[in-house]
Amino acid sequence: MLKVITDLFKSKKKKTVINTVIIDIVSVCNAKCPFCSRNYMTLKGKMIDFEDLKKIVDKLMRSDKIDIKELRLYATGEPTLHPQLDKIINYLKEKNLPICVSTNCSGLAKYKHSLALVNHLQFSIEGYDKESYEKLRYPLKFEQTIKNLEEFT
């Protein structure tokens, strides 16, 4: 990752627009969704160290040759399971980065204030009723998810 960023700095272009940077801060999840690619991953259970995240972000921000349109804090896991999510979001806001988070809503209460700061917050709620939701988002509970959403808004 850092080599790719370094190569961008060496570019002769005046400015490189990066539509999306994805930093997968966790590869853990509290749901066992049958459709999730995480089920086939070999690096399950990992979380990015805050200092490593800072190195990546600082390297990206070191140049005026890069314009980032969106920084996603998810790919394969549930970001609200990262114990330093508050710290991560606050650091990225200090850097004035456009933050995007997708969540299964299970950690909304714990990170309510930090999640309110992100530029784009996506709620991943599969299913059209209690039965289908709990089948697709096992072992999460439909009623708890609705309650989390109501308390968040």
Side-chain angles (χ1 to χ4, degrees):
M1 172 74 158
L2 290 176
K3 182 184 178 337
V4 172
I5 296 167
T6 302
D7 291 345
L8 282 171
F9 294 144
K10 293 177 183 174
S11 169
K12 301 285 186 207
K13 290 182 183 179
K14 291 190 180 196
K15 194 160 205 151
T16 300
V17 175
I18 302 175
N19 287 325
T20 306
V21 172
I22 300 172
I23 300 178
D24 198 11
I25 62 171
V26 296
S27 67
V28 296
C29 190
N30 54 349
K32 295 175 177 69
C33 306
F35 53 83
C36 185
S37 62
R38 191 179 47 76
N39 297 325
Y40 305 101
M41 291 175 46
T42 56
L43 293 175
K44 292 181 185 177
K46 303 292 182 184
M47 295 189 189
I48 194 168
D49 179 73
F50 179 71
E51 293 304 317
D52 290 338
L53 177 126
K54 279 179 59 176
K55 286 177 191 173
I56 293 167
V57 170
D58 290 348
K59 187 80 168 177
L60 279 169
M61 301 304 296
R62 213 177 292 170
S63 172
D64 59 355
K65 290 185 179 183
I66 296 177
D67 181 21
I68 300 170
K69 298 296 180 190
E70 176 181 69
L71 177 66
R72 291 186 190 168
L73 295 181
Y74 65 94
T76 62
E78 172 54 38
T80 62
L81 295 178
H82 197 293
Q84 293 183 305
L85 184 60
D86 288 329
K87 192 173 180 178
I88 290 169
I89 290 174
N90 287 329
Y91 182 74
L92 297 174
K93 290 308 284 184
E94 286 174 15
K95 296 291 184 179
N96 203 30
L97 285 163
I99 307 166
C100 179
V101 173
S102 180
T103 177
N104 64 23
C105 305
S106 61
L108 288 179
K110 182 176 181 182
Y111 292 109
K112 182 177 183 172
H113 299 292
S114 292
L115 290 172
L117 299 174
V118 305
N119 302 78
H120 180 91
L121 182 58
Q122 174 179 304
F123 300 126
S124 295
I125 304 171
E126 283 71 29
Y128 49 86
D129 62 7
K130 178 181 178 355
E131 182 181 352
S132 62
Y133 173 83
E134 290 182 1
K135 182 178 180 181
L136 293 172
R137 285 289 178 177
Y138 175 81
L140 303 180
K141 299 298 179 193
F142 183 75
E143 290 86 4
Q144 184 61 51
T145 298
I146 297 301
K147 181 181 176 193
N148 292 348
L149 285 166
E150 289 172 347
E151 291 174 359
F152 182 77
T153 54

